[in-house]
Amino acid sequence: MDKLLYGVAYYTEYLPYNRLEKDMAMIKAAGMNVIRIAESTWSSHEPSEGIFDFTHVTQVIEAAAREGLDVIIGTPTYAIPPWMAAKHPEIIADTGQGREKYGRRQNMDITSPIYLFYAQRVIRKLMEASLHYPNVIGVQLDNETKHYGTCGPNVQRMFVRHLRETFGQIDKMNEAFGFNYWSNRVDAWENVPDVTGAVNGSFRAEFEKFRRNLVTEFLTWQSKIVKEYLRKDQFITHNFDYEWRDHSFGLQPDVNHKHAANAISLTGSDIYHPSQSKLTGTEIAFCGATAYGLKESNYLVLETEAQGLIEWLPYPGQLRLQAYSHLASGACGVMYWHWHSIHHSQETYWKGVLSHDLEPNAIYREACNIGKEIAALGPIRKKNDVAILVSNESLNGIKIFHFPDRSFEYNDVLRWFHDALFEMNIEIDIIFPEDVARFSQYKMLVVPALYSAPDSLLEALETYANNGGYLIAGYRSGFSNEFLQVRHTIQPTPGCFGVEYDLFTKPVDVALKSNLFKEPRFASHWMEMLRPTTAEALVTYDHPAWGQYAAVTKNKTAVYIGCHMEKDALKILLKSLLEEAGLWTKIQQAQFPIIIKSGLDVNGRPTHFYMNYSGASRKQEIYHTGEIVDLPPWGVSVFTENSH
């Protein structure tokens, strides 16, 4: 992608009257150059079984072409039409708590042969109707695809086949899962029990891994169909989403993004976040780092908020700051969901660029200014020295064998590390266990709560540290293998940390002691009683019962953090390690709410984004030029070296 895409999702099917030409002209006037259509409206494309009508699609494509706008077509397979559910109720997903009912989207079994028959047919018909248009530049597969909890008889049979392929012999499965416990030992493949009733954590974890792979297979299946119609100049994308906590938050538990990204040529993502006084940029940065890392390349923000939820209405200037935050993270496109606010149904108050009166407003006018500004920019390439290693297997393992506080999860640990580094202006990549070959390109590798990992991954981490890389591992790392079987060696593994422990608990009134801390700091959520062997203790517990144990240790370049602590305390600890690793530069003189991101523009010139995530004006030195600028509330300034 050599240009930036800026645009909106657009649905004539939802509008109260025909205003297609007016809308296309307004979108063009806003400096936008792309729209995204069709992914939500299967019942309009195929109103009755086998009766197809793509009038809405072709009219929009042609109207967009007249204004010079590009189009991304979405396959409409995530929301099935009523006639299909009525004729084939068996395609509605059985989630283990009973069969879903028709009404909401994403309620089907993505493995159902009947569903796949209809899905393939509508995909082919849509591709035939649309992909020959010159202004159709790409296809989005489905929409925020997940497995939707499907676990009916067909899925159970598929899972048993997966187990047979994985283990070969049933005794190997029994051993891996510890099925001797509570008389769960299985004598024959046909007697493997329904996983929905299982209490065996290893069995359940393998099922979750299997279901994540169903998503990969589904998207790959769609991709192969689309490729039969695709021109060489058209891309395939998908809008990956993240764990949802009233907004995008952390690693998606129901999809392995790294695996699923093999089905697409250009990564896409949906990123939503708090606004107004709660706008921090952390969600944009985290989700952007995840999306960029999937292919080490620029990505599309296929959905983000314009107005969004009622409480997200941005302050003046925030829409601009948000757009630049995406671009500074490596996005090659920013698209709002959606153009107009809907007058009915579920998302009536998830507002678009235009409000319900469909007239220009303050959000539209700010979008117009953004469109004019970014027209001269191109995608920014990123190269960072620090990476965070994430793991779907560890996320699921900690969900099963949870923290004492059940509301505290893997993604809380992940965001604890990420947000601390973000606020310190340390840019990071998000990488996966499959990225072992990339470890050596980073000066520092941060590993939050790697609860579940095969020996090969732990060996790769040890090699990284032994070769001089700064390895920082968080508590509960290396505890179990890939099947959630707890290791029966001294913890933690790998051994490069030079420390051991065999006791852990939830801390209550446990203070932390270190020369690094100038005021009292406390452990929370989880603590391990570390006993250094060859490591030095950087932090110890200040407590009458636990005072003989270390909380944080360092063995050459391998650091083990054995407890949770306040984010400010973590930042103090990380600062000392970053300084030692040579990663604390002049840029780190600025701290949140001033956020600085850098990369290379399309001409290879260093480009820097200085962003003010606060409601107060701030004077800020531009470290790359020495000049002082006034950053207004929620303001951003972009500087390209050798540009003057």
Side-chain angles (χ1 to χ4, degrees):
M1 189 68 68
D2 57 0
K3 70 173 184 179
L4 293 178
L5 298 180
Y6 186 50
V8 290
Y10 184 79
Y11 312 97
T12 55
E13 300 92 332
Y14 300 166
L15 283 162
Y17 60 91
N18 187 342
R19 46 178 284 131
L20 178 57
E21 300 295 338
K22 179 179 180 179
D23 282 335
M24 293 300 107
M26 288 179 66
I27 291 170
K28 176 70 172 181
M32 295 180 180
N33 56 13
V34 65
I35 59 173
R36 167 176 163 259
I37 67 172
E39 89 287 349
S40 296
T41 48
W42 190 343
S43 63
S44 297
H45 307 325
E46 190 178 3
S48 299
E49 181 181 354
I51 306 299
F52 296 95
D53 181 1
F54 296 108
T55 304
H56 282 288
V57 174
T58 56
Q59 286 182 344
V60 171
I61 294 173
E62 291 167 2
R66 288 191 288 274
E67 293 291 347
L69 300 174
D70 291 331
V71 178
I72 299 172
I73 299 288
T75 64
T77 46
Y78 84 112
I80 64 174
W83 59 258
M84 188 187 305
K87 183 176 182 179
H88 299 288
E90 67 272 24
I91 72 173
I92 303 297
D94 182 345
T95 65
Q97 285 77 45
R99 193 173 294 278
E100 288 273 9
K101 295 183 178 180
Y102 185 81
R104 67 179 183 87
R105 64 185 188 175
Q106 299 170 318
N107 55 4
M108 66 287 179
D109 176 2
I110 61 173
T111 73
S112 164
I114 298 172
Y115 164 73
L116 294 174
F117 166 80
Y118 288 115
Q120 177 171 194
R121 188 172 68 177
V122 76
I123 292 169
R124 290 189 182 279
K125 293 290 187 181
L126 178 59
M127 297 301 99
E128 291 169 359
S130 62
L131 287 197
H132 63 279
Y133 285 96
N135 64 321
V136 174
I137 61 173
V139 176
Q140 174 190 305
L141 306 178
D142 204 68
N143 182 81
E144 296 181 349
T145 309
K146 291 174 278 294
H147 56 66
Y148 315 131
T150 184
C151 59
N154 181 53
V155 173
Q156 297 288 334
R157 287 190 294 270
M158 294 171 64
F159 180 50
V160 173
R161 288 199 297 271
H162 162 78
L163 295 174
R164 293 187 71 161
E165 292 169 1
T166 300
F167 296 103
Q169 299 175 9
I170 202 161
D171 284 346
K172 290 184 177 180
M173 180 193 72
N174 283 320
E175 181 181 357
F177 294 165
F179 267 165
N180 285 346
Y181 188 77
W182 279 1
S183 194
N184 281 178
R185 190 173 189 87
V186 179
D187 64 325
W189 292 112
E190 59 267 26
N191 291 334
V192 172
D194 186 324
V195 72
T196 59
V199 295
N200 182 289
S202 298
F203 189 38
R204 289 160 53 198
E206 189 65 20
F207 185 61
E208 289 306 310
K209 189 187 303 181
F210 164 77
R211 290 204 292 187
R212 289 192 293 271
N213 192 56
L214 293 180
V215 180
T216 299
E217 291 177 351
F218 177 70
L219 292 175
T220 301
W221 172 81
Q222 284 213 20
S223 181
K224 288 179 179 177
I225 296 171
V226 170
K227 285 177 181 176
E228 295 180 29
Y229 302 88
L230 207 67
R231 300 192 310 262
K232 290 184 178 180
D233 62 332
Q234 293 170 319
F235 60 78
I236 298 177
T237 189
H238 175 72
N239 53 332
F240 292 113
D241 67 342
Y242 305 87
E243 188 203 20
W244 187 256
R245 298 190 184 181
D246 296 325
H247 56 82
S248 307
F249 186 81
L251 186 65
Q252 171 57 249
D254 294 337
V255 185
N256 186 312
H257 283 181
K258 187 67 180 179
H259 293 171
N262 290 327
I264 60 178
S265 57
L266 178 61
T267 302
S269 64
D270 290 356
I271 303 173
Y272 293 101
H273 50 82
S275 190
Q276 300 184 12
S277 61
K278 296 180 180 179
L279 177 63
T280 64
T282 50
E283 288 79 20
I284 293 174
F286 171 80
C287 298
T290 304
Y292 194 97
L294 291 179
K295 291 183 178 291
E296 295 184 85
S297 185
N298 300 115
Y299 60 94
L300 292 174
V301 178
L302 287 161
E303 289 186 22
T304 192
E305 65 214 56
Q307 298 185 60
L309 297 175
I310 293 171
E311 63 269 28
W312 289 352
L313 179 68
Y315 292 157
Q318 286 189 338
L319 196 70
R320 177 176 180 266
L321 174 59
Q322 290 162 197
Y324 276 106
S325 298
H326 291 297
L327 301 180
S329 295
C332 58
V334 176
M335 304 180 67
Y336 300 114
W337 202 91
H338 46 118
W339 172 241
H340 59 90
S341 297
I342 297 173
H343 298 79
H344 43 65
S345 199
Q346 177 70 16
E347 294 175 314
T348 297
Y349 288 100
W350 194 300
K351 296 183 69 181
V353 175
L354 302 185
S355 294
H356 292 107
D357 60 9
L358 305 177
E359 294 298 322
N361 55 27
I363 301 301
Y364 174 75
R365 288 187 286 272
E366 189 165 331
C368 290
N369 293 333
I370 296 168
K372 293 173 185 176
E373 284 186 22
I374 68 173
L377 288 175
I380 299 298
R381 295 287 296 174
K382 308 291 291 185
K383 187 180 185 307
N384 298 318
D385 292 324
V386 180
I388 296 179
L389 177 67
V390 300
S391 165
N392 279 101
E393 290 70 32
S394 295
L395 182 155
N396 193 60
I398 287 178
K399 183 177 182 180
I400 293 170
F401 296 111
H402 50 79
F403 288 102
D405 178 359
R406 290 186 178 223
S407 66
F408 187 77
E409 299 177 343
Y410 173 87
N411 274 327
D412 295 285
V413 185
L414 170 55
R415 283 289 302 269
W416 178 57
F417 276 109
H418 170 272
D419 293 3
L421 291 166
F422 171 80
E423 292 178 6
M424 300 164 73
N425 276 311
I426 300 295
E427 294 197 69
I428 60 99
D429 289 347
I430 298 291
I431 62 175
F432 288 75
E434 293 81 1
D435 294 315
V436 166
R438 294 172 56 188
F439 286 4
S440 61
Q441 76 185 54
Y442 298 104
K443 295 180 180 178
M444 180 175 285
L445 189 56
V446 179
V447 185
L450 187 65
Y451 183 79
S452 173
D455 290 343
S456 59
L457 178 56
L458 299 183
E459 290 165 2
L461 292 171
E462 184 159 26
T463 298
Y464 171 82
N466 290 339
N467 289 338
Y470 277 76
L471 176 64
I472 302 175
Y475 48 89
R476 299 197 78 179
S477 287
F479 203 76
S480 72
N481 68 10
E482 63 268 40
F483 300 116
L484 289 197
Q485 188 175 100
V486 174
R487 288 185 164 84
H488 46 77
T489 55
I490 293 175
Q491 297 288 354
T493 50
C496 60
F497 295 109
V499 67
E500 60 187 33
Y501 74 91
D502 47 32
L503 302 174
F504 46 83
T505 190
K506 177 182 179 180
V508 177
D509 298 326
V510 179
L512 299 173
K513 183 167 59 176
S514 173
N515 292 332
L516 296 170
F517 302 148
K518 305 301 185 216
E519 56 188 74
R521 304 291 181 176
F522 292 87
S524 64
H525 297 292
W526 185 267
M527 63 181 291
E528 296 160 355
M529 285 52 165
L530 305 180
R531 303 187 304 272
T533 53
T534 59
E536 61 175 307
L538 298 181
V539 181
T540 57
Y541 298 116
D542 188 6
H543 186 273
W546 314 127
Q548 70 269 39
Y549 297 111
V552 180
T553 61
K554 180 175 178 294
N555 190 43
K556 297 180 180 178
T557 60
V559 177
Y560 189 84
I561 301 176
C563 70
H564 199 81
M565 62 186 77
E566 300 102 319
K567 185 171 60 176
D568 284 348
L570 177 64
K571 288 166 67 173
I572 293 169
L573 173 62
L574 290 174
K575 180 177 184 290
S576 69
L577 300 173
L578 289 160
E579 287 176 333
E580 187 174 290
L583 294 169
W584 195 262
T585 70
K586 194 173 184 180
I587 288 176
Q588 279 70 53
Q589 293 179 25
Q591 299 275 290
F592 184 82
I594 299 299
I595 293 298
I596 304 169
K597 287 182 172 288
S598 300
L600 299 177
D601 71 6
V602 292
N603 297 310
R605 299 177 301 177
T607 301
H608 312 283
F609 298 76
Y610 284 72
M611 297 174 284
N612 177 14
Y613 284 97
S614 78
S617 297
R618 294 177 181 269
K619 290 189 179 296
Q620 175 61 41
E621 179 184 354
I622 305 304
Y623 300 121
H624 307 90
T625 65
E627 61 185 297
I628 305 295
V629 298
D630 285 314
L631 285 177
W634 315 108
V636 55
S637 292
V638 183
F639 295 86
T640 299
E641 294 187 28
N642 302 320
S643 61
H644 303 297

